[in-house]
Amino acid sequence: MTDPVLEFAHVSITAPGADGPRTLVHDCTLQVAPGEVLGLVGESGSGKTMSVRAVAGLLPDGFTVEGAIRIDGQDISELPAKRLRDIRARRLGMVFQTPRAHLNPLRTIGDFMTEALVTVAGESADAAARRAMELLAEVGIPDPERRMRQRPGDLSGGLLQRVMIAATLAMDPPILLADEITTALDVTTQEEVMAVLADLRRTRQLAVLFITHDLALAAAVCDRVAVMQDGRIVETLSASTMRADAREPYTQRLLSAVLPADLLSGQTAAEPILVVDGLQKTFHVRSARGGRREVFVAVDDVGFALAPGGSLGIVGESGSGKSTTARIICGLESADAGTVSVKGEDWTTPARSARGRRQRARIAQMVFQDPYLSLDRRQTVRQCLTEAVAVHRRSASRAELRARVDELLASVRLDPTLADRRPRSLSGGQRQRVAIARALAADPEILVLDEAVSALDVTTQVEILTLLDAIRRDTGVALLMISHDLAAVRRLCDQVVVMRSGRIVEHGPIADVLDDPQAEYTRLLLDSIPREGWVPRRRIPARVSVPDDSTGAASGSSTSAPITALEGDR
Amino acid sequence: MTTGVLRRVLGKLGALLLTLFLASVVIYSAILLTPGDPVVALAGGVRPTPELIAVIKAEHHLDQPVWIQYLYWVGGVLTGDFGTSFVYKTPVVDLIGSRFGITLLLVLYTVLLIVVFGVGSGILAARRRGAAEKAVLVGTSVGVAMPTFVVAILLIFIFGRLLGWFPVFGAGEGLLDNLYHLTLPAISLSVLYIAYVSRITRGAIVAQAHSEHVDTARVRGIPSERIFRNHVFLNASPQILAISGTTIAGLFAVSAIAEQAFGIGGIGSLLTEAAARKDLPVVQILSLLLVALFVVLNAVVDVVIAFIDPDSARSRRTA
Amino acid sequence: MSIGQLAGGRISPVARRVAQRDPLFIAAGVVMAAIVLLAVLGPLLTPYDPNQLYVGPVLSPPSVVHLMGTDDLGRDILSRVLAGGAASVFGPVVVVVLSTVLGSTVAILSAWYGGWVDAVLTRITEVVFAIPGLVLAILAVSMFGKGLIAPVLALSIAYLPVVSRLVRAGARSELGKPYMAALRIQGVGSLAISFRHLLPALLPAILAQSTIGFGYAMLDLAAISFLGLGAQPPTSDWGVMISSGQPSLLNGAPEQSLFPALLVVLTVLSVNILGARVTAWAERADA
């Protein structure tokens, strides 16, 4: 093995705090060699991001680093500030999770691309511009000349992430720090970005420190994986033999969270409780520039049925219309055409009166993506659940309400001692349990899960999915699960609907669809999921009409931000 | 893209005209809302002679329906006929014309002080840790509690009584003498706004300096002077411009206080005097003028901001 | 489950912790409390009749007999400052209360109904915003005559857009959050949502805005009195005292202007400090 270009030797990082300093990273040792991808994997708060920020010189004020971080064998703490800045500029590249926030919105892509070439490498503006266009082409950005004149607001998330990578390569650095670079992207876009990265690593012998919470992705794209928990590296494994070699219980927990689950079986053939037919929804979006109104078809002729006690997954990427469909069913949006009927009643338009909303509330309830946002942060768990129960049992006595709330807490396996806490002092999983308990307060017959586990850490995801499955078995509630995550849907649902750009592309029993996909798009989605032996592929030329990134809608890359905001999938 | 900018400028212009129209309706309706006979209101609150009643009725078309009266009034304003003051017994346009210049000079002097010292000290406080930052922060905390009239009496006491370096009364003759006389009034007008603009400037710069795209620039080794210019100050400037613009646009109105304190015969003191004498026609025209200045200046600032940040689009609405 | 219970449970411990670490906050609080006391009890504490001429020599400097000296008409300045506190403090209070209540109502209606209701209300507030507060107050004085009532009402309207913009933005962002959708899906009624969830969420920001607004209102009202359009002599409003003391400045007797000016600055300074802390708290509560 060649000498490492980036090395951590017993690095600890300490944050100042009102209650005394806190150590976020303990005694961390790792090496990355040229041409090697080292995954640094852990759940939120495990200290992985602080570790890369220490290399890049981006720790917040007051943070201290002990031990040695070496670039090309040189301890960076021993370098004078100006020299260190120069080394970082020339030897390091860094790509972040949210490209939109990490690009200056007021300056053009051209400014961004050439800035370091001109100010650090001292190239002429013309030479820098030529080089910038080459780099943009290298990362697969079509029409680089036009892109150079645009600002970040004109580009989609996937394209911006490629711009970030291209700009990083401008100085030809041997080390790339990648901090959750695909977390904010759809799976197919993730595959594109990973394919770009794999190419570059091969052609340029890049040493990549790849930070992710996604163990499956790490296993698929990394050579070695360091697993981090509570600021400590618990073990470092070879990616190809990880499953066999894992010794630490924490790693095994992470691994079990990504294993495909047993398929559920047993279809119910009763009269459907929910029938959606010919649903259509169009948004009029005023584009950020120009002020011209654009029409955006969010949902286009969507129809399906859900059996009582059944479970149906709606799968798709951002902009596919899956969330809008769920919101129409729950009366948060009104449809332009088509019908929603629940137990034979017409639910196409939202209920106007509070009484009508209460009646529907007893039949259909919803669990949202981010439990911290879907709970009122000023209410305690008990206040929140009491309110939800009291809406439907107006004459209930204090004692009855209390008893029902305790029952709900038990049904989601939540420790009753947490009842007086506010969402702020609960973990992500506990918050989502509260949100589920609230949804169950009205004894609904349909539970709509809108990306209900995608904001959670992987081990928590498994717990919540298991809980939902148990609730379904116990209460016979039908589940309508909206998700971008095929594995999660597979775990919970009997039936699946695959959506793209507002339309249904495939529909059927889960095993049939996922094991023998008929639609090309379903195959693409399945191929994009990182797994053992996965080779990410670049498909740009082949799929011009397919939304290529997180904001992409029908019109592809020219569509801009407001649509994402409306769709709200992510 | 250029059509987009054009469309937005036209949209802004439309909104601006609508606001001006509605504001003129509000200001005109003052005649109707004033308790008692409109003739009395227009004559300065006293019962005029029968001859004067006839003159006032004719000039303001009081025998016509209200909306016709309004149209005559607005039509007059647009064609430069500002009506007659029955208190001063002169055309309003003459009253304003002879006083506008000195107020304009005072406002420009004040704007200069606000921009130089407000933005300057804000940048200083944002970039220098330690004593300079502390000094600016303490100074501006006190400054935002120092209204024009308080600064004015302090300056009059210090310079008029103790030091005698600057005149404390009147506006002087000739441009240089004007400027000499307007120094203390301009300082007294500017102190509060310097402090305010300084705090906004510092806040905007500090917020931008902590933004994620600045992290990117730092990792890329961009020299810090360039990061400040191109990524921090540039991005903070829309907010600084917006606040300074609104502040400056309002100066024509608040200059009345400095004019009163230092005995300057500008439009501010005319407004005060006219209000004290209940000279409604003069107050109405001056109000409309001040509103128009305020709205137009704000709109100009919006256009400047749109050049820096084309995507700011509909985020700010002033007109 | 009342608003008080929901919001009140959180304020006190936070406020207590802030106070322990923040002596400036305590100082500002003490000054504010003293000023409010002065405004309420001041008229009872005056050593002399505030409007009695020649209770002492003309323009005497501070002394044991006249702690703040006497003015150009031989009136006791301390007595006048104490007697004038009520008008100088309660005027701004009325402005803040009226503009906050009206502005918040307009803003919440705007955010809740959206559509044309929002468009009309927003346009109205934009027009009011275009008329500077001082101009509106002066217009009101020329209509209704000098005195504090017309300027107070005019400023209440002039401050409305600032409040309603802030609250409307807050309400829109709050209504857009998933928990609001969750409440609707549960079938919780509109009134319950507004009073139990929306209003408590907006309260910290509204409180912060009112605190800062009080400072502005005090400055504006004092300025109007200084211009001779607000409170009328011989009333001992602070703005009037500052203005009527102006000629004595050149005679080397600044006390008549200086003491009320000092009180105005001190009040506004304390209010700003309190406002900054309330704003910081509001932002924390929002996080």
Side-chain angles (χ1 to χ4, degrees):
Chain A
M1 194 168 129
T2 40
D3 286 339
V5 282
L6 175 66
E7 189 179 4
F8 276 53
H10 306 287
V11 171
S12 295
I13 301 173
T14 306
D19 318 313
R22 275 175 311 124
T23 303
L24 303 177
V25 174
H26 299 268
D27 194 24
C28 165
T29 297
L30 54 84
Q31 290 106 26
V32 197
E36 182 190 36
V37 180
L38 174 69
L40 190 54
V41 177
E43 296 185 295
S44 43
S46 61
K48 52 194 195 306
T49 289
M50 280 305 149
S51 307
V52 267
R53 291 184 79 87
V55 183
L58 295 178
L59 286 179
D61 285 345
F63 279 53
T64 53
V65 179
E66 279 167 66
I69 297 173
R70 300 199 186 95
I71 296 175
D72 302 325
Q74 175 100 47
D75 185 344
I76 60 172
S77 66
E78 291 167 357
L79 292 167
K82 200 169 149 34
R83 174 107 183 85
L84 178 56
R85 200 186 74 202
D86 202 53
I87 285 187
R88 280 185 175 134
R90 290 166 189 281
R91 307 296 290 168
L92 287 183
M94 183 161 181
V95 185
F96 302 86
Q97 175 175 354
T98 46
R100 201 171 293 285
H102 282 90
L103 279 162
N104 187 339
L106 302 190
R107 303 192 63 90
T108 63
I109 301 301
D111 287 341
F112 177 69
M113 291 294 301
T114 55
E115 189 169 29
L117 285 169
V118 173
T119 61
V120 181
E123 285 189 32
S124 75
D126 283 349
R130 271 196 307 279
R131 178 102 182 87
M133 276 188 276
E134 281 167 29
L135 289 163
L136 290 177
E138 188 179 346
V139 296
I141 289 178
D143 200 358
E145 210 166 332
R146 185 167 65 96
R147 296 299 182 193
M148 292 277 282
R149 291 193 302 272
Q150 293 182 316
R151 302 194 199 210
D154 301 321
L155 272 64
S156 58
L159 280 182
L160 285 181
Q161 197 60 295
R162 273 180 250 170
V163 169
M164 275 303 263
I165 294 174
T168 302
L169 299 175
M171 304 297 289
D172 217 349
I175 304 168
L176 183 69
L177 309 174
D179 186 6
E180 300 269 14
I181 59 171
T182 59
T183 307
L185 306 175
D186 277 322
V187 275
T188 53
T189 320
Q190 165 170 292
E191 186 180 10
E192 295 286 352
V193 170
M194 290 318 303
V196 167
L197 203 63
D199 283 357
L200 293 171
R201 165 212 180 180
R202 223 179 13 254
T203 55
R204 293 172 178 252
Q205 284 292 297
L206 273 177
V208 183
L209 183 56
F210 190 84
I211 310 293
T212 183
H213 68 283
D214 185 344
L215 192 60
L217 177 64
V221 304
C222 299
D223 300 309
R224 289 184 301 135
V225 173
V227 178
M228 205 163 192
Q229 181 192 18
D230 299 332
R232 287 175 212 279
I233 292 183
V234 292
E235 62 185 331
T236 306
L237 300 159
S238 163
S240 51
T241 58
M242 185 161 66
R243 198 151 282 156
D245 295 349
R247 292 287 164 268
E248 290 291 323
Y250 180 69
T251 315
Q252 281 164 349
R253 270 220 319 280
L254 284 176
L255 278 169
S256 70
V258 297
L259 286 173
D262 298 335
L263 289 187
L264 292 160
S265 52
Q267 255 180 258
T268 33
E271 189 76 359
I273 185 168
L274 164 70
V275 180
V276 175
D277 188 33
L279 208 61
Q280 187 121 17
K281 176 75 184 175
T282 308
F283 288 112
H284 294 270
V285 187
R286 199 184 285 254
S287 67
R289 285 160 177 275
R292 196 159 26 91
R293 275 173 171 257
E294 285 170 14
V295 172
F296 168 56
V297 182
V299 177
D300 190 5
D301 193 22
V302 164
F304 53 81
L306 175 65
S311 57
L312 172 74
I314 303 183
V315 179
E317 298 183 288
S318 347
S320 63
K322 57 192 192 302
S323 271
T324 307
T325 305
R327 292 174 69 85
I328 293 171
I329 293 168
C330 289
L332 294 172
E333 305 271 2
S334 55
D336 296 333
T339 54
V340 176
S341 88
V342 173
K343 297 174 84 176
E345 278 181 50
D346 183 38
W347 278 29
T348 311
T349 48
R352 287 190 191 284
S353 65
R355 199 162 150 267
R357 278 195 284 125
R358 276 200 303 280
Q359 276 170 352
R360 291 192 187 180
R362 280 178 215 128
I363 298 170
Q365 280 292 331
M366 192 160 174
V367 179
F368 295 82
Q369 175 172 5
D370 183 344
Y372 188 59
L373 295 177
S374 69
L375 297 169
D376 187 338
R377 60 189 182 280
R378 283 163 303 277
Q379 280 185 326
T380 63
V381 172
R382 185 169 292 284
Q383 284 169 339
C384 168
L385 295 181
T386 306
E387 180 179 33
V389 173
V391 171
H392 303 288
R393 303 191 182 182
R394 308 203 132 183
S395 52
S397 72
R398 220 168 243 272
E400 280 166 349
L401 289 176
R402 208 180 159 77
R404 173 67 180 143
V405 169
D406 290 336
E407 204 178 295
L408 285 171
L409 287 172
S411 71
V412 295
R413 331 272 194 269
L414 197 65
D415 184 349
T417 58
L418 300 177
D420 293 319
R421 294 216 192 155
R422 292 192 167 77
R424 183 190 302 252
S425 36
L426 296 175
S427 71
Q430 290 166 338
R431 285 174 196 154
Q432 198 59 297
R433 283 168 199 265
V434 176
I436 293 170
R438 180 181 59 183
L440 295 175
D443 282 324
E445 293 166 60
I446 303 170
L447 203 53
V448 180
L449 310 166
D450 187 3
E451 297 278 10
V453 297
S454 56
L456 305 173
D457 280 328
V458 279
T459 49
T460 317
Q461 286 191 10
V462 177
E463 291 170 19
I464 297 294
L465 288 173
T466 311
L467 172 71
L468 286 166
D469 197 30
I471 288 171
R472 180 185 159 214
R473 287 168 201 276
D474 294 349
T475 64
V477 66
L479 299 180
L480 180 63
M481 178 177 187
I482 314 296
S483 180
H484 70 280
D485 183 352
L486 286 163
V489 170
R490 177 167 218 151
R491 201 171 262 259
L492 214 52
C493 299
D494 317 325
Q495 300 275 323
V496 67
V497 166
V498 181
M499 282 182 75
R500 199 190 97 194
S501 303
R503 289 178 156 273
I504 293 183
V505 296
E506 191 160 6
H507 181 187
I510 188 108
D512 296 359
V513 172
L514 297 192
D515 295 341
D516 182 21
Q518 299 302 309
E520 195 195 339
Y521 180 69
T522 314
R523 273 199 294 276
L524 177 66
L525 270 185
L526 286 164
D527 283 351
S528 305
I529 299 172
R531 59 196 176 272
E532 272 173 73
W534 182 60
V535 180
R537 279 178 292 168
R538 291 162 82 157
R539 300 169 204 264
I540 295 162
R543 43 186 285 269
V544 180
S545 65
V546 175
D548 66 344
D549 48 59
S550 62
T551 64
S555 52
S557 56
S558 71
T559 358
S560 46
I563 289 170
T564 323
L566 270 173
E567 173 60 22
D569 262 357
R570 195 173 283 278
Chain B
M1 194 194 131
T2 39
T3 55
V5 170
L6 188 70
R7 197 191 307 270
R8 205 170 324 135
V9 168
L10 286 179
K12 268 237 114 75
L13 199 65
L16 182 147
L17 291 177
L18 180 61
T19 301
L20 277 181
F21 162 70
L22 293 172
S24 73
V25 170
V26 171
I27 289 169
Y28 185 77
S29 62
I31 297 179
L32 310 171
L33 296 173
T34 303
D37 188 347
V39 178
V40 176
L42 289 166
V46 288
R47 185 96 224 152
T49 60
E51 296 80 46
L52 195 51
I53 292 180
V55 173
I56 293 174
K57 279 198 165 165
E59 175 159 341
H60 288 272
H61 307 276
L62 289 182
D63 41 2
Q64 306 262 15
V66 174
W67 62 275
I68 302 249
Q69 295 175 28
Y70 167 77
L71 286 182
Y72 273 115
W73 183 71
V74 156
V77 170
L78 291 177
T79 54
D81 173 13
F82 290 2
T84 312
S85 160
F86 299 103
V87 174
Y88 293 90
K89 302 191 170 47
T90 28
V92 178
V93 70
D94 294 345
L95 286 171
I96 294 176
S98 61
R99 288 169 171 84
F100 189 74
I102 199 71
T103 299
L104 182 65
L105 197 61
L106 174 58
V107 167
L108 289 177
Y109 199 160
T110 310
V111 168
L112 185 75
L113 295 178
I114 293 175
V115 170
V116 171
F117 293 102
V119 177
S121 67
I123 294 175
L124 182 78
R127 302 203 70 185
R128 299 257 182 283
R129 292 279 159 76
E133 184 188 22
K134 268 250 152 60
V136 172
L137 281 180
V138 171
T140 54
S141 311
V142 178
V144 288
M146 295 291 273
T148 301
F149 55 91
V150 167
V151 182
I153 60 143
L154 288 176
L155 292 177
I156 289 171
F157 180 61
I158 293 169
F159 288 98
R161 171 72 191 182
L162 303 177
L163 297 174
W165 296 347
F166 289 97
V168 296
F169 190 83
E173 298 289 331
L175 185 64
L176 280 180
D177 197 34
N178 280 161
L179 288 176
Y180 182 46
H181 275 80
L182 291 179
T183 301
L184 295 187
I187 294 175
S188 64
L189 259 181
S190 61
V191 167
L192 191 145
Y193 301 112
I194 287 175
Y196 180 50
V197 168
S198 169
R199 292 182 86 86
I200 297 291
T201 303
R202 178 181 169 276
I205 291 176
V206 168
Q208 282 300 329
H210 285 101
S211 65
E212 291 166 320
H213 67 83
V214 170
D215 280 355
T216 312
R218 281 169 56 197
V219 182
R220 301 176 79 206
I222 311 296
S224 51
E225 206 37 55
R226 189 183 161 91
I227 293 185
F228 180 76
R229 233 183 22 248
N230 285 3
H231 299 290
V232 177
F233 192 70
L234 177 80
N235 290 53
S237 60
Q239 197 191 347
I240 298 171
L241 274 171
I243 294 293
S244 313
T246 307
T247 300
I248 290 166
L251 278 180
F252 282 96
V254 265
S255 101
I257 303 163
E259 290 179 21
Q260 167 88 1
F262 292 93
I264 298 162
I267 53 165
S269 53
L270 176 65
L271 178 63
T272 312
E273 209 180 295
R277 297 169 75 170
K278 301 194 81 175
D279 190 349
L280 202 53
V282 174
V283 173
Q284 282 180 313
I285 294 290
L286 280 174
S287 301
L288 191 59
L289 180 70
L290 292 170
V291 169
L293 279 169
F294 185 78
V295 173
V296 171
L297 284 173
N298 267 314
V300 169
V301 171
D302 275 0
V303 171
V304 175
I305 290 174
F307 270 105
I308 299 172
D309 181 5
D311 296 327
S312 66
R314 302 140 291 142
S315 58
R316 225 172 76 85
R317 295 203 257 159
T318 6
Chain C
M1 195 159 48
S2 70
I3 294 173
Q5 254 178 308
L6 291 169
R10 281 266 297 285
I11 302 173
S12 52
V14 173
R16 210 177 304 131
R17 213 173 37 241
V18 169
Q20 278 164 1
R21 289 190 196 149
D22 194 350
L24 203 59
F25 176 82
I26 298 186
V30 169
V31 171
M32 246 352 262
I35 302 262
V36 170
L37 264 182
L38 187 156
V40 178
L41 301 177
L44 307 174
L45 301 174
T46 53
Y48 300 90
D49 177 346
N51 291 329
Q52 176 70 50
L53 305 185
Y54 308 110
V55 293
V58 169
L59 295 180
S60 71
S63 65
V64 185
V65 199
H66 300 287
L67 288 175
M68 291 186 178
T70 57
D71 68 7
D72 53 345
L73 296 173
R75 293 170 294 193
D76 181 57
I77 294 177
L78 176 62
S79 303
R80 290 182 64 71
V81 163
L82 288 173
S88 308
V89 172
F90 289 128
V93 169
V94 174
V95 171
V96 165
V97 170
L98 283 181
S99 62
T100 303
V101 171
L102 282 175
S104 307
T105 312
V106 165
I108 291 175
L109 289 176
S110 241
W112 188 276
Y113 289 103
W116 68 268
V117 176
D118 184 30
V120 169
L121 290 176
T122 305
R123 177 53 55 192
I124 291 173
T125 51
E126 292 301 327
V127 171
V128 177
F129 180 77
I131 309 178
L134 197 62
V135 173
L136 199 63
I138 289 177
L139 190 62
V141 167
S142 52
M143 290 161 64
F144 302 105
K146 297 173 191 172
L148 274 179
I149 295 175
V152 163
L153 293 179
L155 287 183
S156 306
I157 293 170
Y159 283 17
L160 189 149
V162 179
V163 178
S164 73
R165 276 181 179 186
L166 178 99
V167 177
R168 176 175 170 276
R172 280 173 66 103
S173 116
E174 210 61 30
L175 287 171
K177 286 185 182 165
Y179 82 90
M180 287 292 176
L183 288 167
R184 293 189 74 80
I185 290 177
Q186 276 167 58
V188 178
S190 301
L191 275 181
I193 292 182
S194 358
F195 283 97
R196 212 184 289 153
H197 298 275
L198 184 59
L199 214 50
L202 299 175
L203 218 50
I206 294 177
L207 200 62
Q209 176 58 42
S210 328
T211 317
I212 294 161
F214 175 85
Y216 283 113
M218 180 154 205
L219 294 183
D220 278 350
L221 281 176
I224 288 160
S225 290
F226 179 81
L227 291 176
L229 302 176
Q232 292 300 303
T235 320
S236 58
D237 177 277
W238 294 345
V240 173
M241 289 181 71
I242 296 171
S243 143
S244 57
Q246 209 188 323
S248 313
L249 290 173
L250 296 176
N251 297 327
E255 290 85 1
Q256 188 179 346
S257 291
L258 223 46
F259 282 114
L262 190 68
L263 277 172
V264 170
V265 172
L266 214 56
T267 313
V268 176
L269 195 58
S270 321
V271 163
N272 285 347
I273 292 170
L274 294 181
R277 299 307 190 274
V278 177
T279 309
W281 166 66
E283 278 164 7
R284 254 202 315 280
D286 205 40

